[in-house]
């Protein structure tokens, strides 16, 4: 792995604090505004095309007692969006229900038509179906009015639905997810109905935004995520945090990434989306506890299945290929993307994981210099379709064209570099790391992810101590040294086996404070440890 130091956008002074240095490296002009975005960061929802028409249709249906159906997309963003809308509208009407299909079936309202009641008057489709023209045409023939609240790319006209989608207008934030847009629509409904309750759902809005990997450098997104983390109102999410022994005061964006989203997404990938929806819509505490316990078990099962599927891909990988294409006969759609991402992370190559017979469908993941993999695949001329985001999405190809695809991409990518690269912000000595310093860094990293990676450091003068293999799956490594712990998660038990006592290392990674109250011994006082979550290490 190549380590590269980020070039500061502004000149750094020796007298600058660690926060000031990080801000100058990233080019942040107003650090307080960026780290603590205010409500002024939100754009006017009325800038969204059709938002008044959509909200008027919803309000009219509510007042006239019409039958309302809410359609959930089968990922975290769609699940959070649906829970928000259903909970919000249930304040005004009981004549509402929601529908869904399992992730293995696919995205889009075309997969849910059979679940729409004949008595339905208004269909609200969330986080999908901008381009589902044929399905909307068929539904509208039954006299059902259709509104769509979506953020995915516009590819074909759909005159059978009234659509709110920032890709269709000049709304300033193109990196807003379905949950963010649902929040916007609820805000406009609230303007008309005066309930003043739409902000009660900001927690699910922020989680849906983050789980769908929206740009964390955009101030509107940062406000929604930050405000959501500070206002955890949803009973189901509260139960997740309680059962995971997480203090709501200490949560940040990584809590969504590693605790909440995996459980929600795990349900979708295991074709149990109904569990996640029930959890987020229910107010029954005991039922929520039952659901979360089942979700935790389900996610552990998901991990084992993913491990097996990943291993099935390995014999299909050739070292000389610039691009991984693997086909697994018995893989579910819920796992294509997971396994593709795991392959990309491990081998640092773009990946496609496919399933099927004569027509293969699956997921792609980009990396390195190949940023817009969706357009790249379209230009090959051999795939039937490539959809989704630029770096992650779905693909379909005829089996007889698979070899042509492999040949084409290997030729086209011959000059591309996919060498693993890790960018770090600052170079420090292990002796420079204090609890106070890490606290400042954690403020900077509070909302970090896509578009705004967490601050990272190259740390030298580390003298190693005992190495331990931890975790039920033996996939966590801890090396205790210099009053700091080196931690590596989700790795092989052989990681860092070459590290011996009293070796001197340089490492790159994130700085963290691990706080916990031990369940053993007397007194049970709070324990605080400084940690480096390492990405890579080198012996000096």
């Amino acid at each position: 792995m190549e380590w590269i130091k980020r070039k500061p956008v502004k000149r750094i002074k020796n007298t600058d604090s660690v926060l000031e240095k990080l801000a100058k490296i990233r080019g942040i002009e107003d650090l307080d505004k960026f780290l603590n975005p205010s409500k002024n960061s939100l754009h006017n929802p009325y800038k969204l095309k059709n938002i008044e028409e959509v909200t008027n249709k919803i309000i009219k249906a509510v007042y006239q007692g019409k039958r309302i159906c809410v359609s959930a997309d089968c990922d975290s963003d769609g699940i959070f969006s649906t829970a928000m809308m259903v909970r919000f509208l249930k304040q005004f009407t009981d004549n509402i229900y929601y529908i869904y299909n399992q992730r293995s079936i696919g995205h889009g309202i075309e997969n849910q038509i059979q679940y729409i009641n004949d008595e339905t008057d208004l269909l609200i489709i969330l986080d999908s179906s901008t381009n589902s023209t044929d399905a909307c045409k068929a539904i509208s023939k039954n006299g059902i009015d259709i509104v769509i609240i979506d953020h995915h790319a516009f590819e074909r006209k759909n005159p059978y639905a009234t659509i709110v989608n920032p890709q269709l207008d000049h709304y300033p934030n193109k990196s807003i997810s379905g949950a963010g847009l649902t929040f916007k629509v609820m805000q406009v409904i609230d303007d008309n109905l005066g309930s003043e309750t739409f902000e009660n759902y900001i927690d699910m809005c922020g989680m849906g935004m983050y789980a769908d990997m929206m740009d964390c450098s955009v101030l509107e997104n940062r406000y929604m995520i930050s405000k959501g983390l500070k206002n955890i109102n949803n009973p189901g999410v509260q139960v997740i945090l309680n059962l995971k022994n997480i203090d709501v005061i200490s949560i940040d964006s990584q809590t969504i990434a590693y605790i909440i989203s995996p459980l929600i997404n795990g349900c979708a990938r295991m074709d149990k989306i109904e569990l996640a929806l029930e959890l987020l819509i229910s107010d029954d505490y005991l039922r929520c506890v039952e659901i979360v316990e089942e979700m935790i078990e389900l996610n552990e099962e998901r991990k084992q299945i993913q491990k097996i599927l990943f291993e099935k891909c390995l014999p299909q990988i050739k070292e000389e290929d610039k691009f991984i294409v693997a086909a697994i006969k018995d893989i579910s759609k819920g796992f294509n993307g997971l396994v593709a991402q795991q392959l990309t992370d491990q081998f640092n190559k773009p990946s496609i994981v496919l399933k099927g017979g004569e027509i293969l469908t699956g997921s792609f993941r980009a990396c390195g210099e190949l940023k817009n993999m969706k357009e790249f695949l379209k230009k090959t001329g051999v795939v039937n379709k490539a959809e989704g985001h630029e770096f992650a999405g779905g693909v379909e190809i005829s089996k007889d064209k698979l070899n042509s695809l492999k040949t084409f991409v290997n030729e086209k990518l011959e000059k591309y570099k996919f060498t693993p690269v890790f960018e770090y912000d600052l170079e420090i000595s292990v002796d420079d790391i204090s609890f106070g310093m890490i606290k400042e860094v954690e403020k900077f990293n509070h909302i970090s992810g896509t578009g705004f990676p967490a601050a990272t450091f190259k740390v030298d003068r580390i003298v190693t101590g005992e190495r331990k293999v931890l975790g039920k799956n033996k996939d966590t490594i801890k090396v205790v040294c210099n009053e700091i712990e080196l931690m590596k998660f989700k790795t092989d038990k052989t990681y860092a086996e070459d590290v011996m006592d009293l070796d001197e290392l340089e490492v790159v990674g994130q700085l963290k404070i691990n706080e916990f109250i031990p369940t053993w011994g007397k007194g049970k006082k709070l324990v605080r440890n400084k940690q480096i979550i390492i990405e890579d290490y080198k012996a000096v």
Side-chain angles (χ1 to χ4, degrees):
M1 178 180 289
E2 184 180 0
W3 301 357
I4 298 177
K5 188 175 183 178
R6 284 193 178 93
K7 293 182 180 179
V9 175
K10 289 186 173 182
R11 188 172 67 85
I12 296 174
K13 300 176 183 178
N14 290 333
T15 55
D16 287 336
S17 69
V18 66
L19 275 179
E20 290 169 336
K21 289 177 181 178
L22 291 170
K24 288 180 177 181
I25 291 168
R26 302 292 183 90
I28 300 170
E29 295 289 341
D30 189 331
L31 184 59
D32 183 64
K33 182 180 179 180
F34 187 80
L35 297 184
N36 306 289
S38 71
K39 200 170 184 177
N40 293 332
S41 304
L42 294 175
H43 297 297
N44 188 334
Y46 293 92
K47 290 183 178 181
L48 285 160
K49 183 180 178 181
N50 297 329
I51 195 165
E52 289 184 89
E53 187 177 352
V54 163
T55 54
N56 286 339
K57 286 176 182 286
I58 296 172
I59 292 168
K60 182 180 178 182
V62 167
Y63 272 123
Q64 294 183 352
K66 299 290 188 180
R67 184 75 165 150
I68 300 173
C69 175
V70 180
S71 163
D73 189 42
C74 50
D75 64 10
S76 285
D77 190 31
I79 292 168
F80 279 116
S81 300
T82 300
M84 289 165 62
M85 183 63 78
V86 170
R87 292 183 73 98
F88 179 72
L89 291 182
K90 276 189 173 182
Q91 298 175 102
F92 313 110
T93 179
D94 292 326
N95 202 7
I96 182 173
Y97 70 103
Y98 62 89
I99 59 174
Y100 57 87
N101 63 268
Q102 302 299 348
R103 186 167 180 140
S104 61
I105 304 300
H107 298 273
I109 192 63
E110 51 267 36
N111 298 304
Q112 298 179 15
I113 294 177
Q114 65 272 31
Y115 305 126
I116 303 172
N117 292 352
D118 292 338
E119 300 83 11
T120 301
D121 300 296
L122 175 65
L123 173 63
I124 304 173
I125 305 174
L126 301 176
D127 193 38
S128 78
S129 305
T130 290
N131 303 302
S132 297
T133 308
D134 294 340
C136 289
K137 180 179 180 180
I139 294 167
S140 65
K141 285 182 178 180
N142 295 323
I144 298 173
D145 208 356
I146 305 170
V147 299
I148 294 174
I149 304 166
D150 188 20
H151 68 114
H152 294 95
F154 166 75
E155 295 179 354
R156 62 184 67 88
K157 290 183 178 180
N158 186 354
Y160 305 101
T162 308
I163 304 174
V164 169
N165 187 328
Q167 314 308 330
L168 299 174
D169 56 37
H170 300 293
Y171 188 73
N173 182 7
K174 299 297 182 184
S175 181
I176 185 171
S177 77
L181 292 167
T182 300
F183 186 77
K184 295 283 184 180
V185 169
M186 288 162 50
Q187 180 182 357
V188 176
I189 294 174
D190 219 27
D191 284 350
N192 287 273
L193 299 184
S195 69
E196 299 183 354
T197 59
F198 79 99
E199 288 188 308
N200 294 344
Y201 307 95
I202 188 68
D203 52 349
M204 290 191 284
C205 168
M207 289 176 210
M209 292 275 290
Y210 191 85
D212 213 35
M213 301 187 352
M214 295 297 100
D215 191 336
C216 288
S217 69
V218 176
L219 278 182
E220 180 171 60
N221 296 353
R222 292 185 65 82
Y223 174 80
M224 289 177 167
I225 298 167
S226 177
K227 185 76 171 178
L229 289 170
K230 293 174 183 175
N231 294 273
I232 303 296
N233 301 314
N234 184 267
V237 175
Q238 290 173 353
V239 169
I240 291 175
L241 297 176
N242 288 340
L243 293 189
K244 290 287 186 176
N245 296 314
I246 295 173
D247 187 346
V248 69
I249 296 174
S250 65
I251 63 175
D252 58 16
S253 59
Q254 298 305 295
T255 310
I256 304 174
Y258 295 109
I259 302 297
I260 298 168
S261 185
L263 291 181
I264 302 297
N265 261 330
C267 291
R269 296 186 189 283
M270 295 293 286
D271 280 354
K272 290 283 188 177
I273 188 175
E274 63 274 12
L275 286 177
L277 286 165
E278 184 184 355
L279 175 75
L280 298 176
I281 293 172
S282 176
D283 288 316
D284 184 332
Y285 178 82
L286 293 179
R287 176 59 186 146
C288 286
V289 171
E290 291 175 355
I291 294 172
V292 173
E293 288 174 344
E294 185 174 351
M295 290 170 72
I296 291 171
E297 291 180 9
L298 204 62
N299 196 44
E300 290 302 315
E301 185 181 345
R302 187 270 307 166
K303 292 177 184 177
Q304 294 305 314
I305 293 173
Q306 182 180 339
K307 183 175 183 290
I308 293 168
L309 294 171
F310 176 79
E311 290 170 352
K312 286 185 177 183
C313 293
L314 297 181
Q316 302 180 52
I317 299 171
K318 296 179 180 178
E319 186 176 349
E320 63 271 19
D321 285 346
K322 302 284 284 187
F323 191 102
I324 296 172
V325 180
I328 308 175
K329 185 177 180 180
D330 54 352
I331 190 171
S332 161
K333 281 186 179 179
F335 286 87
N336 288 331
L338 273 179
V339 177
Q341 187 63 58
Q342 190 176 354
L343 290 169
T344 293
D345 290 343
Q346 178 147 333
F347 295 98
N348 213 66
K349 297 178 180 181
S351 300
I352 295 179
V353 175
L354 299 162
K355 172 194 176 177
E358 294 306 311
I359 300 296
L360 301 168
T361 59
S363 298
F364 65 80
R365 293 294 185 269
C367 72
E369 294 180 352
L370 182 60
K371 302 296 184 184
N372 193 338
M373 190 165 167
K374 180 174 74 171
E375 289 304 312
F376 176 82
L377 289 172
K378 286 180 177 180
K379 289 177 182 178
T380 63
V382 298
V383 302
N384 299 338
K385 60 183 178 182
E387 299 175 329
H389 301 290
E390 293 178 354
F391 54 88
V395 64
E396 179 184 287
I397 183 172
S398 301
K399 186 177 180 180
D400 58 3
K401 293 183 178 179
L402 193 56
N403 287 331
S404 298
L405 174 66
K406 291 178 180 179
T407 301
F408 179 92
V409 296
N410 276 311
E411 289 176 356
K412 290 292 181 181
L413 296 179
E414 188 175 358
K415 296 180 181 179
Y416 278 70
K417 292 182 180 179
F418 298 113
T419 304
V421 172
F422 184 83
E423 282 190 299
Y424 64 91
D425 294 278
L426 288 169
E427 187 171 346
I428 60 175
S429 166
V430 69
D431 299 325
D432 298 328
I433 301 173
S434 65
F435 284 108
M437 176 194 177
I438 300 178
K439 281 291 185 185
E440 292 297 290
V441 173
E442 287 183 340
K443 290 179 187 176
F444 191 81
N445 290 342
H446 184 66
I447 306 297
S448 56
T450 303
F452 186 72
T456 49
F457 297 80
K458 177 184 174 185
V459 185
D460 60 20
R461 299 182 65 183
I462 297 174
V463 179
T464 61
E466 183 184 7
R467 174 186 175 276
K468 298 178 181 179
V469 180
L470 307 174
K472 182 172 65 175
N473 298 319
K474 304 296 182 184
D475 59 356
T476 298
I477 304 297
K478 178 167 78 171
V479 181
V480 181
C481 39
N482 295 69
E483 297 185 355
I484 201 164
E485 297 173 343
L486 306 183
M487 302 297 300
K488 182 72 173 179
F489 298 101
K490 294 183 179 180
T491 189
D492 188 86
K493 64 182 179 181
T494 61
Y495 185 83
E497 271 190 335
D498 58 332
V499 175
M500 303 297 175
D501 283 1
L502 302 180
D503 280 352
E504 185 175 345
L505 300 180
E506 293 178 339
V507 305
V508 285
Q510 292 183 44
L511 304 182
K512 292 276 190 181
I513 295 175
N514 181 35
E515 295 183 339
F516 64 96
I517 297 176
T519 57
W520 63 90
K522 296 180 179 180
K524 296 185 178 179
K525 294 181 180 179
L526 178 69
V527 175
R528 299 171 78 223
N529 293 320
K530 293 176 286 186
Q531 293 185 336
I532 305 174
I533 313 303
I534 61 173
E535 187 68 26
D536 194 20
Y537 68 91
K538 294 177 182 177
V540 176

